[in-house]
């Protein structure tokens, strides 16, 4: 059971924020779950409830444990409610200016000894830290979707991140049942730098009519022993997220292999974002 003295703030109530909040609450932490819109907070709390209900149905969690976990999560709208949190994990969309402004506000609210982590999947931790008063207390903590099931957490040290901050967030990750791995502050870190060019190449294969989406995914599942094909995985992640990460990698590295394929770009423009919108490379509305 986690030490009760720690209160974890989660800023952002989307898929990643929901997963981290759930994992923290199940581990015994008190969680402040924040979004600027009440409807987003309510939607996030509902999603966490459904996720916990599925664990109960699978007999991986008792009804009492589910109720206790939900009671530990307090949904809030004002960012000022983060005051008193000694660990804050920012899970806002991959927009540099948005994260900069949000992190600066968080930095002005939490205590001097509080640690602020970003769940960014592609932005520079060192650059984001430069906007804060206490860059030594800032670190990247990159979780993976679905958070309650995925073991890996990439711990990303910025150039000014202190050893004590890294040690603290590694301990936090371990207390959530995760495996923290230290990675360099480099665009895409490790997983996304390797994974997203593969998704992009699968989209190029589709664009060139090499095979159908189903066949491309089946080839990777049977030929490479992947549990999920790259196009189905893109739909799970969200094509808007896939596009944003590829575009960020392309801008950082300037290499053509990172330039988002039109098969991804056009779907994003059409609002076909994958599972969350009902359609992406596959149709989920039927």
């Amino acid at each position: 059971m986690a030490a009760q003295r720690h209160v974890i703030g989660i800023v952002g109530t989307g898929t990643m924020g929901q997963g981290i909040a759930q994992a923290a609450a199940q581990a015994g932490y008190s969680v402040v779950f924040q979004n600027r819109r009440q409807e987003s907070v309510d939607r996030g709390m509902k999603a966490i409830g459904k996720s916990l209900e599925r664990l109960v149905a699978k007999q991986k969690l008792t009804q009492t444990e589910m109720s206790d976990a939900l009671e530990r999560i307090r949904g809030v709208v004002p960012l000022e409610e983060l005051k008193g949190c000694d660990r804050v994990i920012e899970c806002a969309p991959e927009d540099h200016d948005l994260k900069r402004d949000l992190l600066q506000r968080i930095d002005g609210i939490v205590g001097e000894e509080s640690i602020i982590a970003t769940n960014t999947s592609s932005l520079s931790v060192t650059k984001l830290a430069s906007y804060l008063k206490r860059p030594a207390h800032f670190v990247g903590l990159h979780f993976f979707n679905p958070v309650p099931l995925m073991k890996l957490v990439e711990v990303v040290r910025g150039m000014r991140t202190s050893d004590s901050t890294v040690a603290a967030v590694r301990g936090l990750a371990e207390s959530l049942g995760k495996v923290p791995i230290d990675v360099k502050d480099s665009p895409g870190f490790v997983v996304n730098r390797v994974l997203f060019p593969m998704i992009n190449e699968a989209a190029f294969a589709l664009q060139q009519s090499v095979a159908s989406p189903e066949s491309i995914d089946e080839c990777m599942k049977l030929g490479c022993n992947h549990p999920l094909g790259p196009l189905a995985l893109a739909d799970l992640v969200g094509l808007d997220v896939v596009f944003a990460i590829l575009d960020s990698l392309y801008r950082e590295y300037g290499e053509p292999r990172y330039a988002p394929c039109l098969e991804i770009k056009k779907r994003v423009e059409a609002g076909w974002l994958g599972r969350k919108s009902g359609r992406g490379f596959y149709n989920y509305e039927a």
Side-chain angles (χ1 to χ4, degrees):
M1 188 69 69
Q4 293 298 316
R5 67 178 180 275
H6 290 314
V7 179
I8 300 179
I10 307 294
V11 179
T13 58
T15 301
M16 296 305 295
Q18 293 164 19
I20 299 170
Q22 177 183 329
Q26 283 185 250
Y29 287 98
S30 296
V31 177
V32 178
F33 190 48
Q34 189 274 342
N35 192 292
R36 60 179 178 168
R37 291 186 292 268
Q38 185 63 53
E39 57 267 31
S40 296
V41 174
D42 295 341
R43 192 182 310 118
M45 291 294 295
K46 185 177 180 180
I48 293 171
K50 287 184 176 180
S51 178
L52 291 170
E53 285 173 0
R54 287 193 291 270
L55 292 177
V56 171
K58 294 177 182 178
Q59 297 185 332
K60 294 184 177 180
L61 205 66
T62 68
Q63 190 68 46
T64 298
E65 288 170 334
M66 170 184 162
S67 298
D68 289 346
L70 285 173
E71 286 180 4
R72 294 187 191 105
I73 305 173
R74 182 165 63 93
V76 302
V77 171
L79 201 64
E80 288 72 21
E81 293 288 337
L82 295 173
K83 188 175 183 179
C85 294
D86 43 23
R87 305 284 185 269
V88 176
I89 304 173
E90 168 270 311
C91 303
E94 288 291 278
D95 180 296
H96 174 269
D97 293 343
L98 173 64
K99 285 186 182 288
R100 177 197 62 206
D101 296 345
L102 187 55
L103 289 167
Q104 285 180 329
R105 290 182 61 198
I106 294 169
D107 194 32
I109 292 169
V110 298
E112 289 294 318
E113 298 304 313
S114 296
I115 291 173
I116 303 173
T118 177
N119 187 53
T120 184
S121 55
S122 60
L123 300 177
S124 168
V125 171
T126 297
K127 188 170 184 178
L128 291 174
S130 71
Y131 304 124
L132 306 185
K133 295 178 298 183
R134 300 169 299 112
H137 289 227
F138 184 74
V139 67
L141 204 55
H142 184 211
F143 290 80
F144 292 83
N145 185 37
V147 176
L149 300 179
M150 299 294 280
K151 289 290 187 181
L152 175 64
V153 176
E154 290 180 319
V155 178
V156 189
R157 179 197 291 264
M159 290 189 70
R160 297 172 69 182
T161 304
S162 69
D163 290 344
S164 61
T165 294
V166 170
V169 296
R170 284 183 61 88
L172 171 60
E174 289 169 350
S175 74
L176 301 184
K178 307 304 180 187
V179 179
I181 294 181
D182 296 337
V183 300
K184 184 179 179 181
D185 183 18
S186 178
F189 313 132
V190 173
V191 173
N192 286 350
R193 181 172 178 173
V194 174
L195 173 64
F196 282 83
M198 182 187 72
I199 292 175
N200 209 30
E201 191 60 34
F204 275 117
L206 177 65
Q207 180 175 294
Q208 296 165 4
S209 301
V210 174
S212 68
E214 294 82 359
S215 295
I216 292 169
D217 280 348
E218 201 67 8
C219 284
M220 295 305 294
K221 288 164 65 180
L222 299 179
C224 298
N225 203 28
H226 290 187
L228 196 65
L231 299 179
L233 178 59
D235 278 356
L236 178 63
V237 171
L239 297 190
D240 53 338
V241 176
V242 171
F243 180 86
I245 291 174
L246 282 168
D247 188 56
S248 177
L249 290 171
Y250 180 53
R251 284 186 281 105
E252 290 289 340
Y253 288 112
E255 297 180 11
R257 63 194 169 114
Y258 294 118
C261 176
L262 279 175
E263 286 290 330
I264 298 172
K265 183 174 185 289
K266 292 300 182 184
R267 281 171 170 77
V268 172
E269 291 174 346
W272 296 356
L273 307 181
R275 288 182 177 272
K276 61 186 174 184
S277 69
R279 186 167 182 175
F281 286 111
Y282 295 92
N283 188 346
Y284 302 94
E285 295 174 336

